[in-house]
């Protein structure tokens, strides 16, 4: 038997100081070297040490289609211009479908045969799938793929996974929203979902959580012409006895025709108390007006003023002109765009521009079938994030 490496005999405090000087990406790689290093670099004391010195990884995660079953998460690292693959096979559930992320935690739907296991709230739950004759149910999970820890949120019916949009924010509050109803879960002393009627005029488009409020676009027009408006709902302290949420239309006279110049607008959570609205910039106010480019507008929720944050370069927009629709995802100062038959993603990246890089660029080598419409979200990788 070979002697153990001399590094194994160093005090753990010394090793923690050595490894804490490495970038977070290298720390994650070092954990896979051996069981010794995995234990050393996942102890609470080490995670606490690096939480104060290492910024999170800012990655772009892809959501695979509902009819495709994968057991891994594909992420793009804009700083290194590489694709990463994080396995999800540590989850004792089938068909995991990541849908949202906040503060280093990913939220995903998954299938199981055991309603009892869906009610577990413990970390690293090891409840396995029960008899194949049991009815299949959908569970909403919160997990950290870097530490392989997870928690199962209180059970929901499978219809919510098919029709609901999952929203999360920096406080790890969770909302599942549909046109008719909404579920709200804060985890702060409450271990159940609060259910409300939504009372929205139409199906909400691209809802987001910012601070203590939810925001969504709704079509208040006719069957002949869409007319998009911004709605908001305060979630600071939803009363348990309430049966409906109060959604209010946000309008200001000084906004003018800000919603009329945008074709197929979507919302994206911006930096701080800001919302991004992304859509095609119409050439005119006619119903079938073509778009001249894709525009990114920014709403400051403090001053309630809009400004232009970005405009897609014409040579890049030409790739999107032939597509009848495109998808948008991102957060903060990074927004991704995808469309059919393009085979790559367009990225608006103000973070790169602030460092002297390009504000607009292409993301190549998309995993799997890169010709389709891609959805996704921003993942802030943190080793100390607990579900």
């Amino acid at each position: 038997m070979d002697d153990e490496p001399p590094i194994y005999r160093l005090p753990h405090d010394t090793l923690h100081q050595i490894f804490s000087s490495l970038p977070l990406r290298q720390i994650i790689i070092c954990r896979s070297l051996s069981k010794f290093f995995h234990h050393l670099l996942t102890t609470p004391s080490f995670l606490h040490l690096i939480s104060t010195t290492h910024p999170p990884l800012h990655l772009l995660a892809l959501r695979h289609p509902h009819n495709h079953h994968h057991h891994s998460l594909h992420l793009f690292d804009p700083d290194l211009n590489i694709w990463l693959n994080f396995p999800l096979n540590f989850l004792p559930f089938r068909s995991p479908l990541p849908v949202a992320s906040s503060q280093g935690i990913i939220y995903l739907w998954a299938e199981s045969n055991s309603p009892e296991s869906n009610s577990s709230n413990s970390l690293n739950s090891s409840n396995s799938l029960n008899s194949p004759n049991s009815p299949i149910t959908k569970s909403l999970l919160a997990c950290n793929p870097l530490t392989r820890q997870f928690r199962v949120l209180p059970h929901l019916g499978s219809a919510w996974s098919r029709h609901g949009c999952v929203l999360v924010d920096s406080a790890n509050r969770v909302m599942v929203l549909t046109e008719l109803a909404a579920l709200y879960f804060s985890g702060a002393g409450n271990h159940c979902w609060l259910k409300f009627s939504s009372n929205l005029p139409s199906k909400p488009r691209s809802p987001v959580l910012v601070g203590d409020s939810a925001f969504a676009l709704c079509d208040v027009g006719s069957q002949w012409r869409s007319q998009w408006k911004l709605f908001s709902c305060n979630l600071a302290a939803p009363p348990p006895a309430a049966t409906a949420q109060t959604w209010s239309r946000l309008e200001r006279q000084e906004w003018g025709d800000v919603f009329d110049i945008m074709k197929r607008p979507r919302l994206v959570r911006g930096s701080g108390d800001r919302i991004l609205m992304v859509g095609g910039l119409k050439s005119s106010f006619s119903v079938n007006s073509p778009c001249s480019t894709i525009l990114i507008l920014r709403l400051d929720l403090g001053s309630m003023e809009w400004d232009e944050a970005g405009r897609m370069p014409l040579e890049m927009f030409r790739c999107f002109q032939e597509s009848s629709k495109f998808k948008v995802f991102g957060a903060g100062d990074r927004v991704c765009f995808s469309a059919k038959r393009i085979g790559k993603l367009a990225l608006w990246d103000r973070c790169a521009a602030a460092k002297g890089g390009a504000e607009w660029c292409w993301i190549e080598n998309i995993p799997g079938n890169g010709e389709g419409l891609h959805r996704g979200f921003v993942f802030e990788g943190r080793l100390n994030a607990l579900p």
Side-chain angles (χ1 to χ4, degrees), residues 167-169 173-175 184 207-211 213-215 235 269:
L167 313 178
V168 294
D169 68 357
R173 293 173 294 186
V174 185
M175 187 178 190
Y184 180 81
V208 295
L209 288 181
V210 180
S213 298
F215 299 86
L235 300 173
R269 191 173 72 230

Side-chain angles (χ1 to χ4, degrees), residues 58-115:
H58 294 282
L59 308 174
L60 299 168
L62 288 185
R63 289 178 53 182
H64 51 75
H66 282 265
N67 58 344
H68 291 182
H69 303 314
H70 298 273
H71 290 277
S72 61
L73 181 66
H74 297 296
L75 304 107
F76 180 76
D77 188 336
D79 295 327
L80 298 182
N81 194 31
I82 60 172
W83 284 97
L84 305 173
N85 183 42
F86 287 3
L88 298 174
N89 54 9
F90 61 91
L91 297 171
F93 297 89
R94 291 193 302 269
S95 306
L97 178 66
V99 291
S101 178
S102 176
Q103 293 289 298
I105 302 301
I106 287 177
Y107 296 81
L108 53 125
W109 294 105
E111 293 180 357
S112 75
N113 294 98
S114 173

Side-chain angles (χ1 to χ4, degrees), residues 39-50:
H39 173 74
L40 175 74
L41 303 179
T42 55
T43 59
S45 58
F46 181 73
L47 296 180
H48 176 73
L49 175 64
I50 64 172

Side-chain angles (χ1 to χ4, degrees), residues 16 69 131 140 156 159 162 230 253 262 265 303 305 312 360:
H16 285 169
H69 303 314
S131 167
L140 188 60
L156 291 174
R162 294 193 297 269
L230 181 63
Q253 184 176 0
M262 303 283 279
S303 63
E305 295 180 351
M312 183 177 287
W360 292 89

Side-chain angles (χ1 to χ4, degrees), residues 157-185:
S158 295
W160 288 97
S161 67
R162 294 193 297 269
H163 306 293
C165 181
V166 179
L167 313 178
V168 294
D169 68 357
S170 58
N172 285 332
R173 293 173 294 186
V174 185
M175 187 178 190
V176 184
L177 179 64
T178 69
E179 178 180 350
L180 301 177
L183 295 176
Y184 180 81
F185 180 79

Side-chain angles (χ1 to χ4, degrees), residues 36-356:
F36 172 83
F37 286 114
H38 183 272
H39 173 74
L40 175 74
L41 303 179
T42 55
T43 59
S45 58
F46 181 73
L47 296 180
H48 176 73
L49 175 64
I50 64 172
S51 66
T52 59
T53 57
H54 288 64
L57 298 177
H58 294 282
L59 308 174
L60 299 168
L62 288 185
R63 289 178 53 182
H64 51 75
H66 282 265
N67 58 344
H68 291 182
H69 303 314
H70 298 273
H71 290 277
S72 61
L73 181 66
H74 297 296
L75 304 107
F76 180 76
D77 188 336
D79 295 327
L80 298 182
N81 194 31
I82 60 172
W83 284 97
L84 305 173
N85 183 42
F86 287 3
L88 298 174
N89 54 9
F90 61 91
L91 297 171
F93 297 89
R94 291 193 302 269
S95 306
L97 178 66
V99 291
S101 178
S102 176
Q103 293 289 298
I105 302 301
I106 287 177
Y107 296 81
L108 53 125
W109 294 105
E111 293 180 357
S112 75
N113 294 98
S114 173
E116 290 78 10
S117 68
N118 295 342
S119 62
S120 170
N121 284 325
S122 61
L123 291 177
N124 290 326
S125 173
S126 60
N127 291 338
S128 59
L129 301 178
N130 284 358
S131 167
N133 296 324
S134 301
I136 295 176
T137 62
K138 287 279 189 176
S139 300
L140 188 60
L141 283 69
C143 85
N144 185 341
L146 303 185
T147 62
R148 302 169 68 89
Q149 293 177 311
F150 70 93
R151 176 170 59 106
V152 186
L153 274 62
H155 176 62
L156 291 174
S158 295
W160 288 97
S161 67
R162 294 193 297 269
H163 306 293
C165 181
V166 179
L167 313 178
V168 294
D169 68 357
S170 58
N172 285 332
R173 293 173 294 186
V174 185
M175 187 178 190
V176 184
L177 179 64
T178 69
E179 178 180 350
L180 301 177
L183 295 176
Y184 180 81
F185 180 79
S186 67
N190 298 319
H191 298 288
C192 61
W193 293 90
L194 302 178
K195 186 175 181 179
F196 306 92
S197 298
S198 293
N199 290 336
L200 286 167
S202 66
K203 182 179 180 180
R205 168 177 281 188
S206 59
V208 295
L209 288 181
V210 180
D212 289 326
S213 298
F215 299 86
L217 291 169
C218 289
D219 187 357
V220 298
S222 65
Q223 58 180 322
W224 298 281
R225 181 166 187 169
S226 296
Q227 185 179 10
W228 295 97
K229 295 297 181 181
L230 181 63
F231 286 77
S232 71
C233 175
N234 191 300
L235 300 173
T243 58
Q245 292 175 316
T246 303
W247 288 83
S248 304
R249 184 190 295 189
L250 290 181
E251 289 184 302
R252 297 289 188 276
Q253 184 176 0
E254 57 270 23
W255 287 0
D257 54 9
V258 65
F259 293 100
D260 296 326
I261 65 173
M262 303 283 279
K263 190 172 184 179
R264 296 184 58 83
R266 295 109 163 129
L267 297 181
V268 175
R269 191 173 72 230
S271 298
D273 292 332
R274 293 178 179 86
I275 295 175
L276 303 179
M277 184 166 67
V278 184
L281 176 60
K282 294 181 180 178
S283 301
S284 68
F285 289 109
S286 63
V287 177
N288 297 316
S289 171
C291 295
S292 59
T293 187
I294 294 176
L295 187 65
I296 304 175
L297 298 180
R298 179 172 49 203
L299 174 64
D300 187 315
L301 296 174
S303 63
M304 298 303 290
E305 295 180 351
W306 291 94
D307 71 326
E308 182 177 325
R311 185 178 298 218
M312 183 177 287
L314 181 59
E315 61 273 15
M316 181 178 282
F317 175 69
R318 289 194 183 101
C319 298
F320 289 86
Q321 279 182 307
E322 297 180 0
S323 181
S324 59
K325 60 181 179 179
F326 58 89
K327 295 298 179 183
V328 175
F329 65 91
D333 290 326
R334 284 186 172 127
V335 180
C336 268
F337 303 83
S338 74
K340 288 185 177 180
R341 295 180 296 278
I342 291 183
K344 51 188 176 181
L345 300 174
L347 175 64
W348 173 72
D349 191 347
R350 285 178 64 95
C351 301
K355 300 176 183 177

